[in-house]
Amino acid sequence: MSDNLESLNNDGGHTVKMDLNYSDKKIAEAESLRASGKLQEALDMLLVVENQTRNASDVVSTRRILEAIVKLCIDAKDWALLNEHIFLLATRKSQLRFAFRKMFLLVKNALKLKLIQIKESEGDVTSAENVLHEF
């Protein structure tokens, strides 16, 4: 196998090849775009890559792309855009379950931290502690 391919993986009975260097390169490009104020362009590029990796049943690359999409929205603190992309990605019928679960966990943790910050800023430390323990 070439250096840019990991060994074969099995997800739900589907054997897949993973080209991590390709997704890493695209994620780096997207992060650069976001840093230069082009968040929507970065997300659009990653959605194209997500479609390619998902259709190729590339679980690892798809998971990394989904996480990158979520992280870009979270880093930009654009909660409406995050919500829009979660809905968009969740409704794709052929979405790989494992990849989506990883994305959802990242979103859950980010929202938990946001809620804790809100509670702390309101001076409600007890509620912030309860939120921390609920998850």
Side-chain angles (χ1 to χ4, degrees):
M1 266 187 217
S2 67
D3 290 338
N4 69 336
L5 293 179
E6 260 188 29
S7 60
L8 295 177
N9 185 24
N10 191 329
D11 176 58
H14 297 16
T15 301
V16 295
K17 289 183 181 178
M18 290 152 282
D19 186 353
L20 294 178
N21 288 341
Y22 177 70
S23 64
D24 286 346
K25 179 181 175 189
K26 291 299 183 179
I27 290 168
E29 286 179 38
E31 288 170 350
S32 177
L33 285 170
R34 187 197 67 81
S36 65
K38 298 177 182 176
L39 177 59
Q40 190 60 56
E41 189 176 325
L43 293 170
D44 290 343
M45 181 192 65
L46 288 179
L47 288 173
V48 170
V49 177
E50 181 275 336
N51 186 42
Q52 293 168 344
T53 59
R54 178 174 36 86
N55 287 332
S57 297
D58 182 343
V59 177
V60 171
S61 293
T62 301
R63 176 188 54 84
R64 293 175 54 78
I65 296 295
L66 293 177
E67 288 176 349
I69 290 169
V70 167
K71 284 180 138 182
L72 289 175
C73 293
I74 291 169
D75 290 346
K77 296 186 183 343
D78 193 330
W79 307 110
L81 201 56
L82 174 64
N83 187 46
E84 177 185 324
H85 280 81
I86 291 169
F87 180 77
L88 172 71
L89 295 166
T91 57
R92 293 193 170 173
K93 294 187 188 312
S94 62
Q95 192 57 266
L96 303 168
R97 287 183 302 247
F98 177 74
F100 185 76
R101 270 187 299 227
K102 289 289 190 177
M103 180 194 73
F104 179 75
L105 288 173
L106 182 63
V107 170
K108 183 179 98 170
N109 291 335
L111 294 178
K112 177 175 71 171
L113 291 175
K114 177 73 174 162
L115 183 56
I116 289 170
Q117 289 168 359
I118 290 169
K119 295 294 183 185
E120 287 178 342
S121 70
E122 294 172 349
D124 192 355
V125 177
T126 303
S127 290
E129 289 174 356
N130 289 339
V131 169
L132 183 62
H133 294 294
E134 286 177 11
F135 288 94

